[in-house]
Amino acid sequence: MTETEAPRSTRSTPFPDAPGRRKGYEKRAVDTFLEKARDAFEANEPGALRSTEVRSASFPLVRGGYAIGPVDAALGRVEDAFAAREREYALSRLGARAWVAETRDTAQVVLDRLSRPRGSRFDRVGLAHYGYRIEEVDIVADRIARYLAAGDPVTAEQVRSVAFRPQRNGYREVQVDAVLDAVVEVMLAVG
């Protein structure tokens, strides 16, 4: 070991370890992704890394990994930074009118989906499979619909961190997640 290398146990880490025997995000995967994000942000090349890619980043869960909460919070801040840059770029490329129209169209598609009757907003998985708990998704959907229709307060962080319990014959996870991603995109687009 050279003088400049510290043993792994004494190096400072950007995040705390997962407590006790709980699993956390694999450190190397998180560090690699955040380094890639930093490089892309500093390069300032449109499209090098998008906010949606930050939002969809996932890491293996391992014992001795980083605590999940602090990593997710940091990823939220990174996503916000990329979204702000994307908004600036879109405004300069499209112009304010076209950009607002595009964002409004996305918000309307989401609102139309969430305005469907409770229990019928998303496809369901088969009886033998687990999906998201319907009543929990519908509660969140109602809150988001009020945000989109009337401006009720909801933050992007609240939407990002929502979690649903599993239920047999529940809502199809992929559809729910896609709508939640679209909501976050709309929220970040309007700043």
Side-chain angles (χ1 to χ4, degrees):
M1 183 171 6
T2 67
E3 282 182 26
T4 58
E5 283 184 318
R8 179 73 177 153
S9 61
T10 61
R11 286 185 201 159
S12 68
T13 59
F15 304 104
D17 289 348
R21 296 181 49 89
R22 288 189 178 159
K23 290 184 177 183
Y25 290 141
E26 182 188 36
K27 293 177 179 181
R28 186 180 319 242
V30 171
D31 293 342
T32 299
F33 181 81
L34 289 176
E35 184 177 326
K36 174 185 170 186
R38 185 185 64 241
D39 291 346
F41 195 80
E42 288 174 356
N44 198 16
E45 295 175 16
L49 182 69
R50 301 202 28 91
S51 61
T52 54
E53 293 172 88
V54 176
R55 186 177 328 114
S56 64
S58 62
F59 310 104
L61 292 173
V62 297
R63 287 207 195 315
Y66 288 138
I68 292 170
V71 173
D72 286 349
L75 288 172
R77 292 187 298 273
V78 171
E79 179 187 0
D80 290 347
F82 276 95
R85 180 173 285 165
E86 290 164 11
R87 183 175 52 245
E88 291 171 16
Y89 178 70
L91 281 169
S92 68
R93 186 176 47 88
L94 298 173
R97 223 174 265 241
W99 174 78
V100 167
E102 187 176 292
T103 302
R104 185 180 301 128
D105 290 345
T106 302
Q108 189 61 54
V109 168
V110 170
L111 185 57
D112 291 346
R113 163 73 68 169
L114 300 182
S115 297
R116 294 177 181 180
R118 289 175 140 260
S120 302
R121 291 178 171 146
F122 301 94
D123 291 342
R124 293 184 183 202
V125 296
L127 291 172
H129 300 294
Y130 284 91
Y132 287 145
R133 187 171 296 270
I134 293 167
E135 80 179 50
E136 292 176 357
V137 173
D138 283 343
I139 289 168
V140 171
D142 289 341
R143 188 161 179 215
I144 292 171
R146 288 191 305 271
Y147 163 79
L148 293 171
D152 283 11
V154 176
T155 67
E157 189 54 40
Q158 289 171 323
V159 176
R160 281 186 194 118
S161 65
V162 72
F164 305 109
R165 291 180 293 176
Q167 171 186 339
R168 281 191 193 272
N169 196 34
Y171 280 144
R172 188 171 303 283
E173 295 174 5
V174 172
Q175 284 186 332
V176 175
D177 291 344
V179 168
L180 293 176
D181 284 347
V183 169
V184 171
E185 283 184 38
V186 167
M187 292 174 138
L188 295 177
V190 297

